């Protein structure tokens, strides 16, 4: 289990402070949570007869990235089914990965979408024209429809019934506050099926982080590689304290830092304390927890969080986020449990338990007992 998780938490807290300050957003769109440079969102696009994704990246105010990606786009004359198998009747390849990547700028001085420049990052052929036109349409349509919402600032889950020809006519468009760029969560078609659905949301760590352009979708099924860990303890009993937090572990865990413990290479527990500044505290507990909800759900360098299986449990002064993460380079899947609680000192106590999925499934009652033992004073 990599120790960089604590650095990710601290980086997330920096984003949190920025998230609840006055927001700059796509022209004409008022954003509840500020979109930070490097934040991106990918959608599974079910309108294609093959697996396809569309992603949006926020570079800075007025500059955005966009990408279409298909793991196995059928070659001309090949069927979708053959492309999925990636082999023809004689064993030849009939489906290949397809990526169309571009940067575009918009006029930030208007309240409508006015593209002022465009640069393709991949070679474009004549056969790509339909995809490029489709991407352009999405930019204009999504921004225009987002501006027309009855409530211009999305602070909770809302939906809108609309006619959307690109998605087959009558649709329901669902929005939520913590999804960047357009706040769009999914589009449901007239038959009640998803036509366009959020897949992952992430944050680039630096200008050299290529995670946005390296996303290749989620494998189906998404499975962790084999793990050999079986706990020798049924229920942890050793109390571990860090400032206002307490959790029970056992001798299988080793202390890697004052606030971090490792269970071999399969799990990590980290505890962090966040004391908001006067400016941040003035936003109120609800807004702070909203910002945490997004920040602690983001994928990071080389890892992609599965927002389709994200679970949120919310109280007045506490928040629980559980989300699965795919790490393609390591052929790994982790389960991530994050607990944020407002403590008696007025700060926020944060617990992160990260455990590889196979180890969690083989030792579910053990890890659940650790979670249940957690307390904040």
């Amino acid at each position: 289990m990599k120790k960089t998780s604590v650095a990710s938490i601290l980086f997330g807290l920096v984003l949190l402070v920025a998230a609840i300050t006055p927001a700059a957003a796509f022209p004409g769109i008022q954003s509840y949570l500020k979109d930070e440079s490097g934040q991106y969102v990918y959608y599974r696009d079910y309108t294609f007869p093959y697996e396809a994704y569309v992603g949006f990246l926020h570079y800075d105010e007025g500059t955005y990235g966009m990408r279409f990606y298909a793991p196995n786009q059928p070659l001309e004359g090949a069927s979708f089914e053959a492309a999925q198998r990636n082999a023809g009747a004689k064993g030849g390849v009939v489906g290949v990965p397809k990526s169309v990547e571009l940067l575009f700028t918009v006029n930030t001085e208007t309240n409508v979408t006015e593209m002022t420049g465009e640069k393709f990052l991949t070679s474009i052929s004549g056969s790509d024209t339909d995809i490029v036109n489709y991407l352009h349409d999405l930019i204009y349509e999504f921004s225009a429809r987002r501006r027309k919402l009855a409530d211009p600032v999305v602070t909770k889950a809302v939906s809108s019934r609309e006619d959307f020809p690109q998605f087959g006519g009558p649709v329901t468009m669902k929005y939520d506050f913590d999804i960047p760029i357009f706040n769009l969560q999914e589009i449901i078609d007239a038959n009640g099926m998803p036509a366009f659905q959020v897949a992952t949301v992430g944050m680039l760590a630096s200008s050299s982080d290529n995670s946005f352009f390296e996303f290749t979708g989620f494998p189906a099924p998404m499975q962790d590689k084999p793990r050999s860990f079986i706990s020798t303890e049924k229920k942890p009993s050793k109390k571990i304290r860090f400032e206002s937090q307490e959790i029970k572990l056992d001798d299988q865990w080793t202390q890697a830092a004052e606030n971090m413990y490792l269970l071999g290479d399969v799990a990590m527990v980290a505890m962090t304390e966040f004391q908001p500044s006067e400016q941040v505290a003035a936003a109120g507990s609800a807004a702070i927890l909203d910002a945490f909800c997004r920040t602690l759900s983001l994928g990071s360098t080389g890892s992609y969080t599965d927002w389709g299986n994200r679970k949120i449990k919310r109280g007045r002064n506490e928040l629980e986020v559980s989300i699965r993460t795919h790490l393609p380079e390591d052929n790994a899947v982790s389960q991530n449990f994050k607990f944020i609680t407002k403590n008696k000192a007025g700060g926020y106590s944060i617990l992160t338990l990260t455990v590889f999925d196979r180890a969690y499934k083989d030792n579910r009652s053990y890890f659940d007992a650790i979670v249940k033992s957690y307390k904040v004073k």
Side-chain angles (χ1 to χ4, degrees):
M1 184 60 59
K2 297 179 180 179
K3 297 183 182 181
T4 53
S5 298
V6 171
S8 297
I9 294 170
L10 296 176
F11 180 58
L13 297 182
V14 174
L15 292 180
L16 174 77
V17 174
I20 53 180
T21 56
F26 205 86
I29 294 177
Q30 300 179 53
S31 182
Y32 170 49
L33 295 181
K34 182 178 180 180
D35 292 340
E36 290 298 311
S37 175
Q39 286 181 346
Y40 65 85
V41 55
Y42 265 100
Y43 298 89
R44 174 71 187 272
D45 191 336
Y46 291 95
T47 62
F48 288 83
Y50 48 86
E51 184 180 358
Y53 299 87
V54 173
F56 299 89
L57 168 66
H58 178 79
Y59 265 106
D60 56 39
E61 186 178 0
T63 307
Y64 295 84
M66 196 172 185
R67 180 172 178 245
F68 169 88
Y69 180 77
N72 281 298
Q73 186 187 56
L75 298 177
E76 186 175 356
S79 69
F80 162 64
E81 291 79 8
Q84 288 295 91
R85 295 192 304 270
N86 207 23
K90 297 182 179 180
V93 173
V94 295
V96 296
K98 181 65 180 180
S99 187
V100 175
E101 304 166 8
L102 59 94
L103 300 178
F104 67 94
T105 55
V106 292
N107 184 352
T108 60
E109 301 300 320
T110 70
N111 288 325
V112 297
T113 300
E114 179 185 328
M115 291 181 64
T116 57
E118 183 175 51
K119 178 182 179 181
F120 287 96
L121 304 180
T122 52
S123 298
I124 302 298
S125 64
S127 60
D128 298 325
T129 301
D130 287 344
I131 291 177
V132 172
N133 289 338
Y134 176 66
L135 295 180
H136 287 167
D137 287 345
L138 293 186
I139 295 168
Y140 286 102
E141 288 287 347
F142 287 167
S143 58
R145 292 168 188 271
R146 170 63 179 80
R147 292 187 198 100
K148 293 178 182 178
L149 284 179
D151 189 345
V153 181
V154 175
T155 59
K156 59 183 180 179
V158 296
S159 61
S160 175
R161 291 281 297 169
E162 302 186 26
D163 184 66
F164 204 149
Q166 286 94 331
F167 291 93
V171 299
T172 298
M173 300 187 69
K174 295 185 177 182
Y175 299 87
D176 215 340
F177 70 92
D178 58 351
I179 299 172
I181 318 293
F182 305 117
N183 299 134
L184 180 64
Q185 181 182 46
E186 66 178 338
I187 299 175
I188 303 297
D189 67 20
N191 297 316
M193 300 298 293
F196 201 79
Q197 187 176 57
V198 66
T200 190
V201 180
M203 177 76 191
L204 303 183
S206 67
S207 58
S208 61
D209 186 345
N210 292 318
S211 297
F212 175 74
F213 296 107
E214 292 175 351
F215 179 67
T216 58
F218 290 124
M222 190 159 67
Q223 295 180 335
D224 187 29
K225 63 185 179 183
R227 308 285 172 182
S228 60
F229 175 75
I230 297 295
S231 176
T232 58
E233 301 283 344
K234 291 185 177 180
K235 190 175 182 180
S237 57
K238 182 179 179 180
K239 291 183 180 179
I240 303 297
R241 295 183 177 89
F242 177 73
E243 299 194 14
S244 65
Q245 303 176 64
E246 178 183 290
I247 195 169
K248 291 182 180 179
L249 299 177
D250 52 57
D251 290 337
Q252 297 176 106
W253 294 79
T254 58
Q255 187 171 6
E258 182 184 10
N259 61 336
M260 183 173 68
Y261 293 80
L262 300 177
L263 182 59
D265 61 355
V266 299
M268 180 206 73
V269 162
M271 292 174 280
T272 309
E273 298 283 328
F274 172 62
Q275 188 64 43
S277 65
E278 290 186 9
Q279 178 187 10
V280 172
S285 180
I288 292 173
L289 291 177
D290 284 344
F292 269 125
C293 193
R294 173 197 276 182
T295 299
L296 298 181
S297 300
L298 297 174
S300 56
T301 304
S303 67
Y304 304 95
T305 48
D306 179 9
W307 279 51
N309 285 284
R310 184 177 68 149
K311 295 181 176 61
I312 303 295
K313 185 177 179 181
R314 181 71 177 268
R316 182 178 179 182
N317 290 307
E318 61 273 337
L319 171 72
E320 297 178 16
V321 178
S322 61
I323 195 164
R324 188 169 54 170
T325 300
H326 181 224
L327 300 93
E329 184 176 345
D330 297 328
N331 188 30
V333 177
S334 66
Q335 294 282 355
N336 303 273
F337 305 91
K338 302 179 182 184
F339 301 82
I340 304 92
T341 309
K342 188 174 183 180
N343 54 46
K344 293 180 180 179
Y348 292 82
S349 301
I350 307 165
L351 170 75
T352 296
L353 168 62
T354 300
V355 53
F356 283 120
D357 190 50
R358 184 66 63 90
Y360 176 74
K361 289 178 178 177
D362 290 343
N363 304 268
R364 186 184 297 268
S365 61
Y366 171 73
F367 287 110
D368 287 350
I370 291 175
V371 169
K372 290 177 182 178
S373 74
Y374 179 61
K375 297 178 181 178
V376 175
K377 298 178 182 179

